[in-house]
Amino acid sequence: MARLNFAELLLVLVAGQQLLAAAIWLLAVRLRVAPRVPSLHWVAASVWVAVCAALPVLQSQDRWYGFGLPALLLPGALILTRLGLEILFRQPRRDAEHLLVMLLALGGALLAALLGAGERWWHVQASLLSAACLLRGAACVHGAARRELGLRGARLVCWPLVLMALLFGGRGLGAWLQPEHFAQPMTADSPSNIALLMAYLSMSVLFHVMLSLTVALRLVGKLQQLSRLDPLTGLSNRRGLEERWASLRHRLPLAALAVDADHFKNVNDRHGHAVGDQALQHLAELMRRSVRSGDVVVRLGGEEFLLLLAHTDAEQARQRAEQLRALVVNSPLRLDEGELALTVSIGVAVAVQAGPSGPLISAADAALYEAKRSGRNRVVLGALQEART
């Protein structure tokens, strides 16, 4: 076997780097520390790039599959990368765009064959299509990344894509404007090839580190979100309430409805805890249906819930509480053996001044206690109707 020059060694290094990245993503999937479907797309993309890097070294440059085939295939690897990101951020598939890129690559290949085009054509086609794929991928996931990870997280995701797009775009323009320097075979030991390959090696490492950090940030964000939610009902828990209080406390008047399921111990004793859990989930769903988009429903623990209603005065709060009480009465839990009737007691308090959550919740709890003491399945508007928080 002939001795490899420096450019060929770099191509081999690119191929090895991509195969290593594919192996790491496969291991992450196996260990269940990375999402399966996006990671498998990145595995396929890495293997695809490795093939594109190895073909020029393995085949003589006077054969079309030594330079034309890698150029034809390269945009496909970037389509897979973009698909993985779109799936990760739950973005809609854009198959028409991907099909257009593949048709442009194939059409360019056919045109090159008809015209007998050389290295210049293939470099320009592969580079510009690859740059377009990367820029479009960054544009498509930026909004979702910003919503999930914040502005810094979105930059972490998108800037490596943009930098790689600039690298490919510069290569394509260079090949078009100065083919004698930038349109040589990738195995040629030229300064432009060596600079390109070394830059690609560095950016590829950056890109896979970015993907890893993105997966880690989303996992941390998901764990933080779960820590704010009640696992049974999916409602906010006490921690979630405290985090949302800062925005709620100024939306005055602010009503608090303390809600407790009546005789819930009897439900667990007669029907079992599984049915009791279904009953809590049923009540949680009824409360979700009874509130507006800006209101908050919290499960405080056991069978006790709290509703916080923004811009709601005492009379409006009492009416909303009566509507919820009636909704529960008229919406029994359907079981295989029949229906389970449920009722709730509700205590209401209203704050007219911003402050901590404790006094308002305590006032609503006091009204709830009075509702249960006076017979249950009723609404009591607390004596402290305008609780100062």
Side-chain angles (χ1 to χ4, degrees):
M1 180 177 178
R3 185 176 180 179
L4 301 179
N5 61 33
F6 191 45
E8 291 170 333
L9 286 173
L10 288 174
L11 283 169
V12 172
L13 187 57
V14 168
Q17 178 198 57
Q18 294 300 313
L19 292 176
L20 177 62
I24 292 173
W25 282 113
L26 278 176
L27 180 62
V29 171
R30 183 70 180 270
L31 296 176
R32 298 183 180 179
V33 296
R36 178 180 177 81
V37 177
S39 298
L40 291 179
H41 278 75
W42 300 329
V43 168
S46 296
V47 172
W48 200 313
V49 172
V51 171
C52 292
L55 279 175
V57 179
L58 297 175
Q59 302 296 338
S60 172
Q61 287 298 311
D62 59 358
R63 299 178 181 178
W64 71 273
Y65 46 83
F67 60 95
L69 185 57
L72 177 63
L73 294 177
L74 184 58
L78 302 178
I79 289 175
L80 286 171
T81 301
R82 172 183 164 182
L83 274 171
L85 283 169
E86 289 177 345
I87 294 169
L88 180 70
F89 288 106
R90 298 182 295 276
Q91 294 300 289
R93 292 175 62 96
R94 295 174 174 85
D95 293 333
E97 293 183 19
H98 303 149
L99 179 61
L100 176 61
V101 171
M102 290 186 286
L103 289 176
L104 288 173
L106 183 59
L110 293 175
L111 185 61
L114 291 175
L115 300 178
E119 287 281 343
R120 178 184 183 184
W121 176 273
W122 293 105
H123 281 301
V124 171
Q125 172 184 306
S127 298
L128 295 185
L129 281 179
S130 298
C133 288
L134 290 164
L135 287 175
R136 182 61 180 151
C140 289
V141 302
H142 181 269
R146 184 167 183 174
R147 287 191 295 273
E148 288 197 29
L149 307 176
L151 180 58
R152 292 183 179 179
R155 288 173 177 172
L156 173 70
V157 174
C158 296
W159 273 110
L161 297 174
V162 173
L163 290 175
M164 291 189 73
L166 293 175
L167 177 66
F168 280 110
R171 172 72 174 189
L173 291 176
W176 181 260
L177 299 174
Q178 293 185 315
E180 67 278 7
H181 297 296
F182 295 97
Q184 301 178 36
M186 288 303 301
T187 52
D189 210 3
S190 66
S192 62
N193 278 349
I194 292 172
L196 173 71
L197 291 171
M198 293 185 71
Y200 181 82
L201 281 168
S202 301
M203 289 190 184
S204 181
V205 171
L206 176 65
F207 179 71
H208 284 287
V209 169
M210 174 274 292
L211 289 179
S212 302
L213 288 175
T214 299
V215 170
L217 286 173
R218 292 189 75 253
L219 178 60
V220 170
K222 186 175 181 180
L223 291 175
Q224 289 177 340
Q225 182 181 21
L226 290 175
S227 72
R228 304 183 191 103
L229 298 178
D230 170 58
L232 178 64
T233 62
L235 299 176
S236 294
N237 57 19
R238 287 183 180 271
R239 179 177 177 180
L241 166 63
E242 291 305 319
E243 291 186 358
R244 299 191 66 177
W245 180 255
S247 61
L248 280 170
R249 61 197 293 263
H250 297 291
R251 301 168 67 183
L252 303 170
L254 177 63
L257 277 58
V259 183
D260 192 89
D262 296 328
H263 303 295
F264 196 75
K265 185 176 184 300
N266 294 339
V267 174
N268 284 326
D269 291 343
R270 293 180 183 178
H271 302 279
H273 288 281
V275 172
D277 288 346
Q278 291 182 50
L280 291 173
Q281 292 169 336
H282 177 66
L283 289 174
E285 181 58 31
L286 293 178
M287 291 180 207
R288 282 195 191 93
R289 286 162 46 185
S290 69
V291 299
R292 302 160 298 187
S293 59
D295 299 333
V296 175
V297 185
V298 181
R299 184 187 177 197
L300 295 176
E303 64 272 20
E304 187 174 356
F305 301 85
L306 178 71
L307 281 68
L308 295 172
L309 313 180
H311 304 302
T312 304
D313 62 25
E315 180 57 26
Q316 292 171 329
R318 187 193 64 77
Q319 292 177 2
R320 297 278 297 280
E322 283 290 357
Q323 290 170 0
L324 174 59
R325 186 198 63 78
L327 177 63
V328 173
V329 170
N330 296 322
S331 306
L333 174 63
R334 289 185 173 83
L335 303 171
D336 293 338
E337 59 271 21
E339 294 184 342
L340 175 62
L342 298 168
T343 63
V344 293
S345 300
I346 305 176
V348 179
V350 178
V352 295
Q353 292 185 356
S357 60
L360 177 62
I361 296 175
S362 296
D365 278 338
L368 171 63
Y369 176 79
E370 179 62 24
K372 297 182 80 67
R373 191 189 65 80
S374 57
R376 295 182 170 84
N377 189 25
R378 64 190 61 210
V379 173
V380 169
L381 188 61
L384 188 60
Q385 294 183 14
E386 294 187 343
R388 292 191 174 190
T389 60

